[in-house]
Amino acid sequence: MTDVLIYIFATLGTLFALLAAIGIIRMPDTYLRISVNTKAATLGVGLLLGSSAVYFYDFSVTTRVQAIVIFILLTAPVGAHLIGRTSYFLGNKLWDGSVIDDLKDRYNKSTHELKSDPEQEEENNSKQDSKTDSNA
């Protein structure tokens, strides 16, 4: 039974790692490559490590595998977000087929300031103006 689990985990892990590699080559822009690599490679590495934990069936190996998987699950999305954010701010363009650019007209390159939602910002400014008027 454990052999079957090892085969399934190792095969799925290898498949996801392969899909991540194909995604890096096939995706049209940096942001999609980051997304594919983060998700598929994280899952693939997790499954491969899980297969090694089942194979060795040892407490020390299993705890190390769990620590590594938790570390990857915590750091991969943060790293991908920071790489994507830096890439956007440095002027790396979106793919021509991209539908939505949520950060368009919100980033000021000269001050490196990122504005929040313009509608919400106007509401906050109007509330502050009404407070200053009522205090005067």
Side-chain angles (χ1 to χ4, degrees), residues 4-20:
V4 174
L5 282 176
I6 294 168
Y7 291 141
I8 290 172
F9 284 172
T11 303
L12 287 175
T14 304
L15 181 66
F16 279 109
L18 176 66
L19 290 175

Side-chain angles (χ1 to χ4, degrees), residues 2 5 7 9 14 39 43 49 61 69 80 89 107 120 122:
T2 56
L5 282 176
Y7 291 141
F9 284 172
T14 304
K39 293 172 186 167
L43 186 58
L49 288 171
V61 173
V69 168
F89 292 159
Y107 178 66
Q120 187 176 7
E122 288 179 14

Side-chain angles (χ1 to χ4, degrees), residues 30-31 34 78-90 92 103:
T30 303
Y31 309 104
I34 291 170
V78 175
H81 172 76
L82 291 176
I83 291 170
R85 181 182 167 109
T86 303
S87 178
Y88 186 86
F89 292 159
L90 290 177
N92 196 354
L103 298 178

